Amino acid sequence: MTWIKFTLWVLGIYTSYYAALICWDFLRTNRGGTAIDKHELTFVEDILPVKSLVEEITGSGKESSIAFSGGVSLKQLFNLAREESVEYIKSVSF
């Protein structure tokens, strides 16, 4: 047996195997549409909203806009630098 014959036999076996799997799957899905509707899952959740720990500690949440906004804008950063409110701990290189 040569390599070409061996390759053709393996290719033929794989092709027939996967063709049989595709046909089997096709025949299984054509049984009926009601089988799909039977297995539908539904969930009902009765969850009430709860105040977060941060809101309870700060009260109204309006004390510091920087702590909750994630930072300041670039214009506000330059204004803070002019007022020397920003502490530089490393040199900035561009």
Side-chain angles (χ1 to χ4, degrees):
M1 180 180 273
T2 63
W3 282 105
I4 294 174
K5 284 185 180 179
F6 175 74
T7 306
L8 289 175
W9 272 99
V10 170
L11 185 65
I13 291 170
Y14 276 122
T15 303
S16 62
Y17 174 72
Y18 285 115
L21 286 179
I22 290 171
C23 290
W24 176 256
D25 192 37
F26 182 71
L27 292 174
R28 276 189 24 203
T29 56
N30 284 340
R31 285 192 213 168
T34 59
I36 296 171
D37 295 336
K38 284 184 189 176
H39 301 291
E40 184 176 330
L41 295 176
T42 58
F43 297 97
V44 178
E45 296 182 11
D46 297 326
I47 298 175
L48 299 174
V50 179
K51 266 190 168 179
S52 69
L53 183 62
V54 175
E55 289 178 0
E56 291 177 6
I57 292 173
T58 59
S60 65
K62 295 182 182 179
E63 294 176 8
S64 174
S65 64
I66 295 173
F68 295 108
S69 69
V72 295
S73 68
L74 189 59
K75 186 176 181 179
Q76 291 172 341
L77 179 67
F78 284 118
N79 287 337
L80 289 173
R82 264 189 241 120
E83 296 170 1
E84 296 180 357
S85 300
V86 178
E87 181 179 350
Y88 297 107
I89 56 173
K90 285 187 177 180
S91 62
V92 179
S93 62
F94 292 97

